[in-house]
């Protein structure tokens, strides 16, 4: 919504119909031009190259065996000089479980938490990390912030 308010061409994707409908209502009420698609990122046929891709809370819900596919989709959807930003659970907000635990317990426990080391190790395969930090908690106002999240800004790594 933030980028749409500033005149950027924006596509929002979510597999939750409820989330898409709420976002459409908000965009309409605020007169923000954003296109929305109710679909899994894994099913999204993408032939476009984006300047900027943002994950606002998807990654920590992706099972370990699908991580590489997820990042390949993100990577391939970006222009050569594209940027990727994301927020995901740190160990204060997400479950402190291993990849093995996900399959042993047959549960993501509401979303995996990541240590700085583990998350950087995963991301550095695809992206040059520009900024990596714990999000700051923000009370009220128009901005969101919670200390139980990592926030990361990256640039597409050219191999």
């Amino acid at each position: 919504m933030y980028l749409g308010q500033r005149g950027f061409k924006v596509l929002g994707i979510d597999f939750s119909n409820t989330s898409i409908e709420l976002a459409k209502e908000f965009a309409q009420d605020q007169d923000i031009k954003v296109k929305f698609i109710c679909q899994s990122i894994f099913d999204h046929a993408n032939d476009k190259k984006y300047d900027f891709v943002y994950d606002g809370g998807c990654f920590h819900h992706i099972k370990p065996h699908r991580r590489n596919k997820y990042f390949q989709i993100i990577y391939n959807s970006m222009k050569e000089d594209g940027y990727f930003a994301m927020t995901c659970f740190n160990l204060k907000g997400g479950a402190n479980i291993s990849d093995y635990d996900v399959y042993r317990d047959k549960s993501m426990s509401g979303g995996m938490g990541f240590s700085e080391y583990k998350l950087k190790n995963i991301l550095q395969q695809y992206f040059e990390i520009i900024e990596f930090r714990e999000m700051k908690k923000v009370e009220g106002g128009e901005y969101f912030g919670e200390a139980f999240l990592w926030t990361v800004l990256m640039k597409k790594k050219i191999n």
Side-chain angles (χ1 to χ4, degrees), residues 36-72:
F36 296 100
I37 297 174
C38 184
Q39 188 175 54
S40 167
I41 191 71
F42 292 102
D43 298 328
H44 181 62
N46 183 11
D47 59 352
K48 295 187 178 171
K49 297 293 183 181
Y50 296 99
D51 296 305
F52 180 71
V53 176
Y54 178 69
D55 172 349
C58 178
F59 174 67
H60 51 244
H61 296 291
I62 294 175
K63 291 185 178 163
H65 74 278
R66 297 193 85 187
R67 283 184 197 139
N68 283 334
K69 179 68 174 171
Y70 172 75
F71 284 122
Q72 287 171 358

Side-chain angles (χ1 to χ4, degrees), residues 109-127:
S109 300
M112 292 184 75
F114 291 89
S115 68
E116 180 176 352
Y117 174 81
K118 183 174 182 175
L119 187 57
K120 282 182 174 179
N121 191 43
I122 293 167
L123 296 172
Q124 288 173 340
Q125 298 173 57
Y126 299 94
F127 308 102

Side-chain angles (χ1 to χ4, degrees), residues 2-135:
Y2 178 84
L3 295 172
Q5 286 174 320
R6 283 147 184 84
F8 288 85
K9 187 176 178 183
V10 178
L11 172 64
I13 302 172
D14 198 302
F15 71 87
S16 165
N17 192 51
T18 302
S19 294
I20 291 295
E21 290 306 316
L22 289 170
K24 283 180 179 178
E25 287 175 24
F26 181 84
Q28 186 175 2
D29 290 347
Q30 301 296 314
D31 196 30
I32 303 170
K33 292 184 180 15
V34 176
K35 180 179 178 184
F36 296 100
I37 297 174
C38 184
Q39 188 175 54
S40 167
I41 191 71
F42 292 102
D43 298 328
H44 181 62
N46 183 11
D47 59 352
K48 295 187 178 171
K49 297 293 183 181
Y50 296 99
D51 296 305
F52 180 71
V53 176
Y54 178 69
D55 172 349
C58 178
F59 174 67
H60 51 244
H61 296 291
I62 294 175
K63 291 185 178 163
H65 74 278
R66 297 193 85 187
R67 283 184 197 139
N68 283 334
K69 179 68 174 171
Y70 172 75
F71 284 122
Q72 287 171 358
I73 290 167
I74 298 296
Y75 185 89
N76 291 333
S77 72
M78 297 168 64
K79 290 183 179 177
E80 292 301 307
D81 59 348
Y83 289 85
F84 175 51
M86 67 182 281
T87 58
C88 73
F89 290 146
N90 58 32
L91 294 176
K92 295 177 190 175
N96 187 2
I97 57 177
S98 70
D99 293 355
Y100 174 78
D101 294 334
V102 170
Y103 299 103
R104 182 194 65 213
D105 300 338
K106 298 180 177 122
S107 174
M108 293 283 292
S109 300
M112 292 184 75
F114 291 89
S115 68
E116 180 176 352
Y117 174 81
K118 183 174 182 175
L119 187 57
K120 282 182 174 179
N121 191 43
I122 293 167
L123 296 172
Q124 288 173 340
Q125 298 173 57
Y126 299 94
F127 308 102
E128 171 193 341
I129 296 173
I130 296 170
E131 184 171 350
F132 186 106
R133 64 179 171 83
E134 185 177 274
M135 188 179 277

